[in-house]
Amino acid sequence: MKISRRTVVTGMGAAALAGCSTATPDRFRTYDGPPVTRIQAFKGKRKLQLLNGERLLKDYNFELGFEPTKHKQFEGDGRTPEGAYLIDRRNPNSRFHLSLGISYPNINDLNFARSHGLSPGGDIFIHGTPNPFSNEKDWTWGCIAVTNDEIEEMYAMVRNGTPIYIYP
């Protein structure tokens, strides 16, 4: 059997391209386990838990905003809110890999900020990292940051409407 020069060159080119591939695993995973019915975040311990009823499904370490021990009150204060919220949106195009929106501010947050003539801020998320090699601590300006691998897992497990309770 005679192989043409064109076939060899085409085959070599395809092999070279395949070897240079930078393909990464799909960041949109699937999950078919028990539903997440509650999220708990303990700021002082830097622990986030996904629960089904009282059963712990997963737990994660996380990073916070600049003043992690205080409740968020105003736009730009760099704090992470405390209280009862919902996961209310998803961002598949986040600059922090993937993100799950937290429904801050609630009515109490809004009323408190307005009583001081200020905005409560917003755009609080659970998200991944912009740089997987970042070693900064408490850099998020009020969000809850986990690794990119962990946010991929959470993104698959957590649905909009899931309650999240953020404790001091």
Side-chain angles (χ1 to χ4, degrees):
M1 177 176 165
K2 185 175 180 181
I3 300 174
S4 73
R5 176 180 161 95
R6 182 178 189 176
T7 302
V8 170
V9 170
T10 302
M12 287 174 35
L17 286 175
C20 293
S21 174
T22 59
T24 58
D26 187 4
R27 63 187 176 147
F28 299 105
R29 301 181 187 182
T30 58
Y31 174 73
D32 63 358
V36 175
T37 59
R38 175 187 178 107
I39 301 170
Q40 298 180 147
F42 300 93
K43 290 171 40 173
K45 295 178 183 178
R46 306 289 199 291
K47 283 285 187 193
L48 184 136
Q49 301 174 331
L50 304 183
L51 296 118
N52 172 267
E54 297 298 315
R55 185 172 143 221
L56 179 65
L57 299 174
K58 293 292 291 192
D59 69 334
Y60 307 92
N61 295 317
F62 61 81
E63 294 295 331
L64 290 171
F66 290 120
E67 291 195 64
T69 61
K70 298 180 179 177
H71 172 59
K72 181 165 191 60
Q73 296 178 316
F74 309 114
E75 184 173 9
D77 65 11
R79 299 175 182 171
T80 303
E82 297 170 1
Y85 302 95
L86 297 173
I87 298 300
D88 66 350
R89 61 201 182 281
R90 310 163 80 68
N91 185 354
N93 300 310
S94 171
R95 69 183 184 123
F96 299 99
H97 196 62
L98 294 171
S99 59
L100 298 169
I102 297 173
S103 64
Y104 174 87
N106 63 27
I107 192 68
N108 295 331
D109 300 318
L110 191 58
N111 288 338
F112 180 82
R114 285 183 177 162
S115 75
H116 288 80
L118 297 169
S119 166
D123 284 337
I124 302 297
F125 290 86
I126 301 170
H127 60 66
T129 60
N131 178 351
F133 303 107
S134 175
N135 289 324
E136 286 186 63
K137 185 173 173 81
D138 299 332
W139 54 272
T140 71
W141 283 95
C143 293
I144 297 172
V146 295
T147 68
N148 290 345
D149 187 57
E150 291 167 339
I151 193 61
E152 287 177 9
E153 186 172 59
M154 280 188 235
Y155 202 85
M157 294 175 75
V158 174
R159 298 289 160 243
N160 287 359
T162 302
I164 178 169
Y165 300 89
I166 305 171
Y167 301 103

